[in-house]
Amino acid sequence: MRAESMSSVERVECAISLERPDRVPIWPDVTTSAAAGLTGQKNWEAALQGFNAQQDLELQFFDEYGGWDAANPALTPEVFTSGGFKVMKPTEESPEIQFLESDYTKYEDYEIIAEIGWFDFTKEHLIYRVSDITTPEQYDKLFSEVIRGTLRAISEYQKRGAFVLYPQPNNHPFFTLSLSRSMLRFTEDLFYRPEMVERALDKMTDEFIDFGLSLCKESGIKIMKTVEERAGAFFYPLEIFERFWWPYTRRIVEAFWSEGIRTSFHLDTCWDKNNHYYKELPRGSAIIELDGTTDVFAAKEQLRNHICIASDVHPALMSLGTPEQVMAYCRRLIDEVGGDGGHILSTGCGLPAAARKENFLAMLETGRTYELSK
C-alpha cells in the first residue's frame, strides 16, 4: 500500500493540475438519497425539514464513513427551484427528486430573456409558473437561503479537510433552455427559431460568467461547475453542437480561466464524438465528469495531459455489482485513466440511492489503498 504524503486538498489540486498525486483522489459525488440509504435514514424526511437538514444528512454520511478527498454541497429541491425549474420534492411514495419538464418557458420568452436575462426572467415570470412562490420577495428569500446554506456546507466540508470541488452547479445555458422549454419544443426552436435562441444564449452566457465569478469570489473556490446532458452527439448532430453549445462554452471557460478559475463539466449521456473539442481549451482549464455512457478510456487517450477526468463508477455497478467487481473496475480506472495523473476517482453522474454499502466501501478502500501497477 502506498503511504500517503498529501492532504486531500493537495491531492485534488495535484490531479486537476494534471499531475500524479500520492494516490488517486476520491469523490463519490454524493446524492442526499444515497446518503440517507447508507446511513439508515429516509431522504424524503430530510427534504421535509428543509435545506439545512439535507446538507446535514450528507455531512453525517461523510463523517460516518471516514470522509473522502473531494466533496460538494447538497443538491436539494430548493437549489433547483431557485433556478426556475419545476421539481417535485421527495415523498414517502416517491422518495427521489423529480424534475417535471414541460414548456414552462414559451417561445416569445426568448426575447424577454435576451433583454433582461435569465435571472430576472425567472424572478419576474417563470418562478410563478413552476412553484408556489407568489411574490418577488419570496423568491429573493429562497435564493438567499440557498446561497447561505451552500456557503455553510462549504465551510463544514473545509473544516473536515475536504477539497470542495465547486460552490454550486449551474446548468449550462443550453441545458437550462432545454429543460425549461422542454426538449421537444427547444429542438423545434433550434431549427425554426435559431436566431431567437442565439440571442437568449448570448445574454445567458454573460450572466453565467458574472454569477460564477461572484460565487467563486464569495466562496473562495476556484472551480465553477456547469451541467449538460443534451448537447452531445447522443442527441444532436455536430452542427447543432458547434453552433449552439461550443462557442458559448469556450466563452465561459476562457472568462473563468482568465481569473484562475477552472470549469468542471458534468456530462451525462454519451460524449464520445464531442470530447476532442476540449483539446481546444487551455490546458488544465477544465475537468470533465463522465457518467459511464461515454468511453472514459477513449476520452483519456484523446485528452491525455490536457484535461482532468473525473471517472465513472457506474450506478448499476454500485447498486447491482459485487464488491469484487467494483474493486476491479476502480483498479482499472486508477491504472489506465490515472496512471500519468489528471484523474479523480468518482461515480458516474452521482452515487445512486440504491448503492450497496459493501460496494461503496469497496470503492473507498480501493481508492485509498490501491497502488498503481505500473
Side-chain angles (χ1 to χ4, degrees), residues 15-16 18 24 275 286-290 295-304 307-312 333 337-338 341-346:
I16 62 180
L18 305 174
V24 66
N275 283 332
I287 302 164
I288 60 170
E289 309 164 19
L290 304 179
D295 185 337
V296 67
F297 304 104
K300 178 66 177 184
E301 291 305 311
Q302 290 176 304
L303 302 173
R304 186 180 301 277
I307 296 293
C308 178
I309 295 176
S311 59
D312 61 346
L333 289 170
V337 181
H343 172 226
I344 298 170
L345 180 64
S346 187

Side-chain angles (χ1 to χ4, degrees), residues 162-228:
F163 183 104
V164 180
L165 203 55
Y166 56 85
Q168 180 179 310
N170 283 310
N171 289 331
H172 191 284
F174 183 99
F175 189 36
T176 295
L177 290 176
S178 179
L179 284 171
S180 182
R181 181 85 175 101
S182 84
M183 187 171 182
L184 175 61
R185 298 300 176 211
F186 184 59
T187 301
E188 292 175 349
D189 297 338
L190 292 174
F191 287 94
Y192 298 117
R193 304 181 180 96
E195 292 81 8
M196 294 178 71
V197 175
E198 287 175 317
R199 287 193 290 273
L201 286 172
D202 193 61
K203 180 68 173 181
M204 292 171 70
T205 297
D206 288 341
E207 277 194 307
F208 188 102
I209 291 167
D210 290 342
F211 179 67
L213 291 175
S214 65
L215 192 57
C216 286
K217 181 178 180 180
E218 187 171 6
S219 66
I221 294 173
K222 290 290 190 175
I223 301 177
M224 194 63 196
K225 178 166 180 166
T226 181
V227 179
E228 182 57 72

Side-chain angles (χ1 to χ4, degrees), residues 27-195:
W27 173 46
D29 198 1
V30 173
T31 62
T32 309
S33 54
L38 290 168
T39 56
Q41 301 182 62
K42 296 177 180 178
N43 179 39
W44 62 272
E45 290 182 343
L48 287 175
Q49 297 174 49
F51 188 83
N52 284 334
Q54 294 163 89
Q55 298 281 8
D56 288 341
L57 175 55
E58 293 197 15
L59 287 164
Q60 178 187 340
F61 176 50
F62 184 92
D63 293 339
E64 283 192 17
Y65 282 79
W68 33 86
D69 297 298
N72 54 270
L75 301 180
T76 70
E78 292 83 1
V79 171
F80 298 121
T81 299
S82 69
F85 302 108
K86 180 79 169 179
V87 295
M88 184 173 69
K89 291 185 176 182
T91 64
E92 187 171 8
E93 293 76 23
S94 180
E96 298 294 329
I97 297 174
Q98 300 290 330
F99 272 75
L100 304 178
E101 186 173 338
S102 187
D103 57 340
Y104 299 110
T105 295
K106 310 302 179 182
Y107 80 88
E108 58 266 26
D109 291 328
Y110 283 120
E111 297 300 337
I112 299 174
I113 296 166
E115 180 180 353
I116 67 175
W118 179 260
F119 290 130
D120 284 345
F121 167 69
T122 299
K123 181 177 178 179
E124 296 177 17
H125 302 278
L126 183 60
I127 196 67
Y128 312 111
R129 306 173 193 172
V130 300
S131 74
D132 56 5
I133 289 174
T134 58
T135 68
E137 291 75 20
Q138 288 178 320
Y139 176 76
D140 287 340
K141 180 180 179 182
L142 172 66
F143 196 87
S144 296
E145 287 176 352
V146 167
I147 296 298
R148 285 198 304 271
T150 295
L151 294 174
R152 170 180 168 268
I154 290 170
S155 175
E156 289 297 325
Y157 279 119
Q158 289 175 336
K159 289 177 185 176
R160 291 159 168 79
F163 183 104
V164 180
L165 203 55
Y166 56 85
Q168 180 179 310
N170 283 310
N171 289 331
H172 191 284
F174 183 99
F175 189 36
T176 295
L177 290 176
S178 179
L179 284 171
S180 182
R181 181 85 175 101
S182 84
M183 187 171 182
L184 175 61
R185 298 300 176 211
F186 184 59
T187 301
E188 292 175 349
D189 297 338
L190 292 174
F191 287 94
Y192 298 117
R193 304 181 180 96
E195 292 81 8

Side-chain angles (χ1 to χ4, degrees), residues 314-323 325-326 352 354-359:
H314 200 279
L317 184 59
M318 295 297 289
S319 303
L320 303 173
T322 65
Q325 290 171 325
V326 172
R356 298 170 61 191
K357 180 177 181 179
E358 56 267 36
N359 290 351

